[in-house]
Amino acid sequence: MWWLLHNKNQAFAARGVHGQTIYVDPTAEMVIVRLSSFPQAKNGYIDPTSLPAYQAVADYLMNKETETTGQ
């Protein structure tokens, strides 16, 4: 299934059980593919750490590009 995350970058993700994720952030021009075998099948156990981590990577990439281009 595809999930709209309603975050500031309008990210969306294809998500499966046990942490499988394809995370797409169009604003940061970033895709993260996570292969996982988390012991519990529910994403609710993983989301409190995974989703902020994905956003942090996007923020880092966008800040790095701003520093490089000066825009």
Side-chain angles (χ1 to χ4, degrees):
M1 292 181 89
W2 287 97
W3 299 86
L4 302 176
L5 300 175
H6 304 289
N7 65 10
K8 66 182 182 179
N9 294 359
Q10 301 176 354
F12 55 96
R15 306 181 72 194
V17 296
H18 301 284
Q20 304 290 327
T21 306
I22 301 170
Y23 183 90
V24 181
D25 186 321
T27 303
E29 298 180 353
M30 174 188 82
V31 175
I32 294 174
V33 176
R34 178 180 178 173
L35 304 176
S36 177
S37 60
F38 193 75
Q40 297 178 334
K42 296 184 179 180
N43 286 317
Y45 294 109
I46 304 166
D47 287 349
T49 54
S50 295
L51 296 179
Y54 301 155
Q55 184 63 54
V57 173
D59 292 343
Y60 172 79
L61 292 173
M62 290 190 310
N63 288 335
K64 187 163 183 67
E65 183 173 325
T66 301
E67 291 173 4
T68 304
T69 62
Q71 297 177 358

CSV table of all heavy atoms in Angstrom, one decimal, residues 9 12 30 35 38 45 52 68:
chain,number,residue,atom,x,y,z
A,9,ASN,N,7.3,17.9,3.6
A,9,ASN,CA,7.9,17.6,2.3
A,9,ASN,C,7.0,16.8,1.4
A,9,ASN,O,7.4,16.4,0.3
A,9,ASN,CB,9.2,16.9,2.4
A,9,ASN,CG,10.3,17.7,3.1
A,9,ASN,OD1,10.1,18.9,3.4
A,9,ASN,ND2,11.5,17.1,3.2
A,12,PHE,N,5.7,10.3,0.8
A,12,PHE,CA,4.8,9.2,0.7
A,12,PHE,C,5.6,7.9,0.8
A,12,PHE,O,6.8,7.9,0.5
A,12,PHE,CB,3.8,9.2,-0.5
A,12,PHE,CG,4.5,9.3,-1.8
A,12,PHE,CD1,4.8,8.2,-2.6
A,12,PHE,CD2,4.9,10.6,-2.3
A,12,PHE,CE1,5.4,8.3,-3.8
A,12,PHE,CE2,5.5,10.7,-3.5
A,12,PHE,CZ,5.8,9.5,-4.3
A,30,MET,N,14.6,12.5,-2.8
A,30,MET,CA,15.2,11.4,-2.1
A,30,MET,C,14.3,10.2,-2.1
A,30,MET,O,13.1,10.4,-1.9
A,30,MET,CB,15.5,11.9,-0.6
A,30,MET,CG,16.0,10.8,0.3
A,30,MET,SD,16.1,11.3,2.0
A,30,MET,CE,14.4,11.1,2.5
A,35,LEU,N,15.0,-2.6,3.6
A,35,LEU,CA,14.7,-4.0,3.7
A,35,LEU,C,14.8,-4.4,5.2
A,35,LEU,O,15.8,-4.0,5.8
A,35,LEU,CB,15.6,-4.8,2.8
A,35,LEU,CG,15.7,-4.4,1.4
A,35,LEU,CD1,16.7,-5.2,0.6
A,35,LEU,CD2,14.3,-4.6,0.7
A,38,PHE,N,12.0,-6.7,11.1
A,38,PHE,CA,11.7,-6.4,12.5
A,38,PHE,C,10.8,-7.5,13.1
A,38,PHE,O,10.0,-8.0,12.4
A,38,PHE,CB,11.0,-5.1,12.5
A,38,PHE,CG,10.9,-4.4,13.8
A,38,PHE,CD1,12.0,-3.8,14.4
A,38,PHE,CD2,9.7,-4.4,14.5
A,38,PHE,CE1,11.9,-3.3,15.7
A,38,PHE,CE2,9.6,-3.9,15.8
A,38,PHE,CZ,10.7,-3.3,16.4
A,45,TYR,N,5.2,0.1,15.8
A,45,TYR,CA,6.4,-0.1,16.7
A,45,TYR,C,7.6,0.6,16.1
A,45,TYR,O,8.5,0.9,16.8
A,45,TYR,CB,6.7,-1.6,16.9
A,45,TYR,CG,5.6,-2.3,17.6
A,45,TYR,CD1,4.7,-3.2,17.0
A,45,TYR,CD2,5.3,-2.0,19.0
A,45,TYR,CE1,3.7,-3.9,17.7
A,45,TYR,CE2,4.3,-2.7,19.7
A,45,TYR,CZ,3.5,-3.6,19.0
A,45,TYR,OH,2.5,-4.2,19.7
A,52,PRO,N,11.0,9.9,11.8
A,52,PRO,CA,11.9,11.0,12.1
A,52,PRO,C,13.3,10.9,11.5
A,52,PRO,O,13.9,11.9,11.1
A,52,PRO,CB,11.9,11.1,13.6
A,52,PRO,CG,10.7,10.4,14.1
A,52,PRO,CD,10.5,9.3,13.1
A,68,THR,N,25.9,24.1,-0.6
A,68,THR,CA,26.8,23.9,-1.8
A,68,THR,C,26.4,25.0,-2.9
A,68,THR,O,27.3,25.5,-3.5
A,68,THR,CB,26.6,22.5,-2.4
A,68,THR,OG1,26.9,21.6,-1.4
A,68,THR,CG2,27.4,22.3,-3.6
